[in-house]
Amino acid sequence: MTDRGPGAPVRVALLGCGTVGGEIVRLLTEQAGDLAARIGAPVELVGVAVRRPHRHPELPEGLVTTDATTLVGRPDVDVVIEVIGGIEPARTLLLEALKAGKSVVTANKALLAEDGAALAEAADASGADLYYEASVAGAIPLLRPLRESLVGDRITRVAGIVNGTTNFILSSMASSGAGYADALEEATRLGYAEADPSADVDGYDAASKAAILASLAFHTRVTAADVYCEGIRAVSAADIAAADGLDCTIKLLAICERLEGDGDGDGEAVSARVYPAMIPKAHPLASVDGAFNAVFVEADAAGQLMFYGQGAGGAPTASAVLGDLVAAARNIVVGGRGPRESTYARLPVRAIGAVCTRYHVSLEVADQTGVLAAVARAFAEHDVSIAAVRQYGGGRNGGAGGSGAVRLVVVTHAAPDAALASTVEALGDLDAVRGVESVLRVEDLGRSVSALGVAG
């Protein structure tokens, strides 16, 4: 960066001008006066790097370039905003910007979750700022409270809905009774799902966000590779109906927890995981429908806090980006610095097999005497305690040797994931079990699950 004189503008380079980038340009133009007043200096957009200039006739010709590297390297650029996504070339461009002392504002959750440490180290080395509020939950102010407002507290859990596409699909299935494929088709038609929805429906998008949340909340570097991840493709209409019958609903949750020592020599640790789970309808997250996001934060002193709003979209995400831009620009004008990365805790990430959760297991079994006893024995042999059992179809408590099949639902007390996996494998080997139809986790998130016969 060049030396600044009094009243000198803060010069901004924008990488990418898609849905979010276009909104950033619009807001920078429409709110120029307000932004200058809030920052103490005007903001000047000096370049926009895009791959296909002909798709952006609304931008002044002299502002557009296909050479992002040269734009980032310009000595008159103070702040680089990145909304192109992906790992490369974003990583190389942002590292170059930070090493040159330019502040960076990014919405790139995938890059932060994979290699955020390199970006943070480059920012520390040069004294530049690195802001990324828009990388998780769109317009919802969530990351700044975690690393600033709650920095004096001890956060124990961050859990919630951080992917609008999957929440729209599951909400649609719950409201209409549709199957997964039909709900996905509707989401695609309405623009809530991409042509290739894999990152969303397989949980990878939420896993990247969980890594960022866990890193901030627990002062520990957590990457996407550390996050256990399951998507929603296997969630069926029958699962939705079963949850409804238990006064629950199914949501794709990102759960980040600070775990105490397990008593077997393992000390305090972090758990970060993403999967579909049943939650009680009484919990506030159960009422979050459509493409909205909501996140619960639990801390020792602050208690439970809920953050809710639009988690994606051009204007909401641009709002978060501009909030970061104002913070970075103010620091440039007054000579300050934003918060640094905090990793002092260096807690290990506990494998999913050692994480305890409740489970809802649905089995198709032979309608004959003795089946329930055999099933219960399989659970007991793997130290998984049964909290409730329900049978659907057939005779009460099993038939008298009939050749038909019934559905048996077992709800467990909290048990390690590895123990449940071994139990499911053992159930599949029983002659009387014709199939394990589904296994869903049950998360009370601090609320009682009385509908399932389980004390909270």
Side-chain angles (χ1 to χ4, degrees):
M1 296 187 298
T2 56
D3 292 335
R4 300 185 53 78
V10 176
R11 296 179 172 86
V12 176
L14 176 63
L15 307 182
C17 198
T19 302
V20 176
E23 287 296 312
I24 292 171
V25 173
R26 179 182 69 81
L27 292 173
L28 283 174
T29 303
E30 294 180 0
Q31 300 183 16
D34 286 339
L35 291 172
R38 294 166 192 165
I39 293 168
V43 175
E44 180 183 349
L45 183 63
V46 299
V48 182
V50 298
R51 288 189 298 174
R52 303 177 183 89
H54 67 276
R55 292 190 176 183
H56 304 279
E58 75 284 1
L59 296 176
E61 185 175 345
L63 207 63
V64 179
T65 178
T66 59
D67 189 351
T69 301
T70 298
L71 176 60
V72 167
R74 281 175 51 171
D76 62 334
V77 168
D78 300 303
V79 181
V80 174
I81 298 176
E82 183 268 316
V83 288
I84 57 178
I87 305 302
E88 289 293 354
R91 172 166 46 196
T92 298
L93 292 168
L94 296 190
L95 284 174
E96 287 302 311
L98 290 167
K99 289 174 182 177
K102 305 173 195 288
S103 293
V104 162
V105 174
T106 178
N108 196 329
K109 54 190 170 287
L111 175 57
L112 290 162
E114 178 173 302
D115 206 11
L119 298 179
E121 289 168 359
D124 281 345
S126 68
D129 280 336
L130 173 63
Y131 286 99
Y132 46 92
E133 182 67 56
S135 65
V136 180
I140 304 172
L142 176 59
L143 302 190
R144 187 170 284 112
L146 287 179
R147 73 174 183 174
E148 295 182 36
S149 305
L150 295 171
V151 72
D153 208 340
R154 183 178 185 273
I155 297 173
T156 55
R157 177 159 58 186
V158 181
I161 300 162
V162 296
N163 182 272
T165 299
T166 52
N167 200 51
F168 180 89
I169 292 171
L170 293 173
S171 298
S172 178
M173 292 173 70
S175 63
S176 68
Y180 165 78
D182 290 338
L184 172 59
E185 183 179 350
E186 180 189 16
T188 304
R189 178 176 59 82
L190 295 175
Y192 291 113
E194 302 287 346
D196 179 3
S198 300
D200 295 317
V201 300
D202 291 329
Y204 302 130
D205 173 84
S208 292
K209 295 170 181 176
I212 295 168
L213 291 171
S215 297
L216 286 176
F218 308 128
H219 306 279
T220 294
R221 281 180 178 166
V222 179
T223 69
D226 297 318
V227 181
Y228 176 80
C229 181
E230 287 181 21
I232 66 167
R233 290 183 192 267
V235 177
S236 66
D239 292 327
I240 299 289
D244 185 64
L246 296 170
D247 205 26
C248 289
T249 190
I250 297 176
K251 298 292 186 182
L252 182 73
L253 299 178
I255 302 174
C256 309
E257 289 183 305
R258 190 176 191 130
L259 303 175
E260 303 298 333
D262 61 9
D264 293 326
D266 291 331
E268 195 174 29
V270 168
S271 169
R273 53 199 195 268
V274 169
Y275 46 59
M278 289 187 180
I279 60 173
K281 289 184 179 179
H283 195 282
L285 285 178
S287 62
V288 177
D289 291 327
F292 281 77
N293 285 189
V295 177
F296 258 81
V297 177
E298 297 179 32
D300 284 352
Q304 286 193 334
L305 307 170
M306 182 172 173
F307 299 82
Y308 168 83
Q310 296 190 60
T317 305
S319 171
V321 169
L322 258 66
D324 281 349
L325 172 61
V326 168
R330 282 174 174 169
N331 291 338
I332 291 170
V333 170
V334 303
R337 293 184 65 182
R340 306 291 94 192
E341 181 191 35
S342 175
T343 61
Y344 74 89
R346 294 181 175 83
L347 297 173
V349 179
R350 191 166 295 172
I352 186 65
V355 175
C356 290
T357 317
R358 296 166 179 147
Y359 303 89
H360 176 281
V361 184
S362 180
L363 310 168
E364 182 182 346
V365 302
D367 185 14
Q368 62 188 36
T369 302
V371 171
L372 180 55
V375 168
R377 187 163 52 250
F379 278 87
E381 288 174 349
H382 293 89
D383 294 323
V384 179
S385 175
I386 294 176
V389 179
R390 287 176 174 82
Q391 178 182 304
Y392 300 88
R396 181 178 293 274
N397 297 323
S403 59
V406 297
R407 186 163 66 92
L408 198 66
V409 171
V410 178
V411 179
T412 77
H413 288 289
D417 191 272
L420 193 281
S422 297
T423 303
V424 170
E425 184 177 355
L427 290 170
D429 292 336
L430 295 178
D431 292 337
V433 175
R434 299 185 178 180
V436 179
E437 294 179 338
S438 71
V439 178
L440 282 169
R441 293 169 177 84
V442 179
E443 295 284 351
D444 60 26
L445 299 175
R447 300 297 180 95
S448 174
V449 196
S450 57
L452 300 178
V454 184

